[in-house]
Amino acid sequence: MKEQVIIKAENLSVGYGDYVLLHDADYEVNKGDVFIIMGGSGCGKSSMLRVLTGLLPPLKGSVDIDGVNIVTASAEKMQQIREKSGILYQSGALFSSMTLAENIMLPLQQYSDYSPQTMRELASLKLALVGLKGFDDFYPSEISGGMKKRAGLARALALDPDIVYFDEPSAGLDPVSSHNLDELILEINRSLGTTIVVVTHELSSIFTIGNNSIFLDAETKTILARGNPKELLKNPPNEKVYEFLTRGEKK
Amino acid sequence: MHSNQSNNPVEVLTDGTALKVLLQGDIVGYSSDDVLKKINNISSEIKKVVFVPDDLQNWDSSLILLVYNTVRIGKAKNVDVQINKLPKNLQELVNMAFAVDRKPEKGGKTMLSFLERIGRKIIGEFNIIGDVIGYIGEVFVGLLRFLSFRSIMRRVDFYAALEDCGPKALAIVSLISFLVGLILAFVGAVQLQTFGAQIYVASLVTIGMCRIMGAIMVGIIMAGRTGSAYAATIGTMQVNEELDALQTMGLSRVDFLVLPRLLAMILAMPILTMLADIMGMIGGAFIGVFLMNLPYQEYWKYAFNAFTLNNFLVGVFHGFCFGFIIALCGCYSGLTCGRNADSVGAATTRSVVNAIVLMIVVTGIITVICQEIGI
Ligand SMILES: Nc1ncnc2c1ncn2[C@@H]1O[C@H](COP(=O)(O)OP(=O)(O)OP(=O)(O)O)[C@@H](O)[C@H]1O
Ligand SMILES: [Mg+2]
């Protein structure tokens, strides 16, 4: 069975104005992958994610999501792609003037025709899925950082997306919460078949959840390595990748 | 021990082809400018620099900096700098400072020519103008969507905004306009008294407050207390990536953030202006009746005679326009805010300054137009 490509980047250059972070990158993400974007601090991982989610136009090249080039897509097409993707931001990015349930109902109100009652129940369900049962009427300011992330994930999952993007999901979480979040990501990936794209430099996450990856390098501004992170650790293509995956051991 | 216990902890001595840097006692908070100057100006005979920690006791970053800079100068001048007599941990720290594997690269080129810089600046300004026009267009389309009931504005947001710029602003607006009426009357009275025409204080205050002062005072208060709050709230949302989330959810930032605030503001401002007019007149009466002993009924008779519907409506119209300006400036500053805490502060300042400047400009324009059409 041939795997289905869901994200395809071609000749992609990422940067800000004259400041190029990455030259002519090519990569593909298959449907159902847990795809890791890794690399040292400041190499442009978050910027890459911003390009994939349509927040930052690339300097050059194209990104196809589900066969649609998002760089040139019409507003309508873009809207359809957005309905099919969820994003978990580093801080959760919950709207502070709304309760958790309202936050999750927001995309539902925008894109679905459910009755208000159903929306509320769906919101409760998603909150329960991420382990926040009963927190419907809490405001974001009333919950902890880890809980905010989980609530953000619940919102990202509101519309049953095909792809979920994560920016450093484990940043600022204690080891247990971070492990639980990894489990949750895998759970979603397995049970819903959701494609997952994760920006992270947390080694334990990279090895437990990732089955495909790219390694960005700031110095050469290229993709230094790609593939399953466990394989990369076994046969590191070069020193830098090895050092990264072993927490700074020299070969 | 040290017979020549000089108060200088770092001494530079020439010893043949070597330069010795003697370190003694505490080197804490030491400014090494002079020493570095000496090392920088060494003659070409000198082949090496040796650090000699002669009874070195406490030291801090200032010594690391001295050693670091000396090593750097040494590298540039091809002079051997020996630091191996220094304490081990100090050597390690110095080596760490040199172990930068990659220079940060900022914006690509380093020096731009003068012309290029001017060019970029001008293009930057044009881009801002383009942005502002785009933003105003976006808000306009949002308003049309609202009028055709297709806006996704949340009603709770509107009520919250309205409460903030309505009921919660009443006290401060009342107080300030009362005081302005008072001041206006007081200043006017001193002048008018010399003609024996103090009763006209009533007319002065009425016309002044209704035509323009009421609206301007409310405008300045609201720009400071509410426009800035808009900028700060929306700017903070930018920092928290909430604006990104909105965009990626495909929700219009205008419908969601600007419209509730704009509508609340243009609804509240005319009403606040009317309140300011009345409070200003009461302030004037306070001076007139209690300080200048003008008869109470007489005062109000003159006050009402001076009151014209035209003046009143022009004032209220000012308020309406100011509402637009304050809300648009506040929201724009927030939406264009950078991604750190500093930029929220800058956005807040910008919102207030821009709003006040624009209000004055618009006042000028309205005044000229009124003059032309004879109101
Ligand atoms: N809006 C911007 N304008 C200009 N340069 C930017 C902007 N945002 C980020 N950069 C620069 O782009 C580079 C990469 O930033 P990015 O946030 O993508 O890195 P990252 O790989 O996510 O790093 P980290 O792991 O620390 O989060 C940084 O050097 C940063 O200075
Ligand atoms: Mg990042």
Side-chain angles (χ1 to χ4, degrees), chain B residues 238-252:
Chain B
Q238 170 85 286
V239 175
N240 289 342
E241 303 173 296
E242 288 172 50
L243 295 187
D244 289 347
L246 261 191
Q247 198 185 335
T248 47
M249 280 196 237
L251 300 171
S252 155

Side-chain angles (χ1 to χ4, degrees), chain A residues 45-47 90 167-168 199:
Chain A
K45 303 182 295 293
S46 298
S47 307
Q90 208 156 337
D167 193 356
E168 317 229 350
V199 163

Side-chain angles (χ1 to χ4, degrees), chain B residues 302-363:
Chain B
Y302 274 82
F304 283 125
N305 278 344
F307 180 90
T308 67
L309 194 60
N310 272 350
N311 277 348
F312 178 71
L313 290 181
V314 168
V316 171
F317 179 69
H318 271 97
F320 177 77
C321 294
F322 291 174
F324 252 102
I325 292 171
I326 294 167
L328 287 181
C329 285
C331 295
Y332 181 74
S333 304
L335 290 172
T336 52
C337 175
R339 287 177 182 276
N340 51 33
D342 258 5
S343 39
V344 176
T348 315
T349 313
R350 204 150 26 94
S351 76
V352 177
V353 173
N354 289 354
I356 290 179
V357 170
L358 276 179
M359 283 195 287
I360 303 296
V361 170
V362 164
T363 304

Side-chain angles (χ1 to χ4, degrees), chain B residues 5 7 32 37 51 118 129 134 174 195 219 226 241 264 270 273 280 283 286 358-359:
Chain B
Q5 186 84 43
N7 44 11
S32 46
K37 212 177 275 167
F51 277 95
I118 292 185
I129 293 175
S174 304
F195 309 113
T226 311
E241 303 173 296
T273 307
F286 192 80
L358 276 179
M359 283 195 287

Side-chain angles (χ1 to χ4, degrees), chain B residues 271-306:
Chain B
I271 297 170
L272 288 177
T273 307
M274 293 180 205
L275 172 76
D277 293 351
I278 294 167
M279 290 309 292
M281 283 160 71
I282 293 175
F286 192 80
I287 291 285
V289 173
F290 289 108
L291 210 72
M292 297 160 60
N293 293 321
L294 296 170
Y296 180 77
Q297 261 128 17
E298 193 80 348
Y299 183 94
W300 281 114
K301 200 177 95 193
Y302 274 82
F304 283 125
N305 278 344

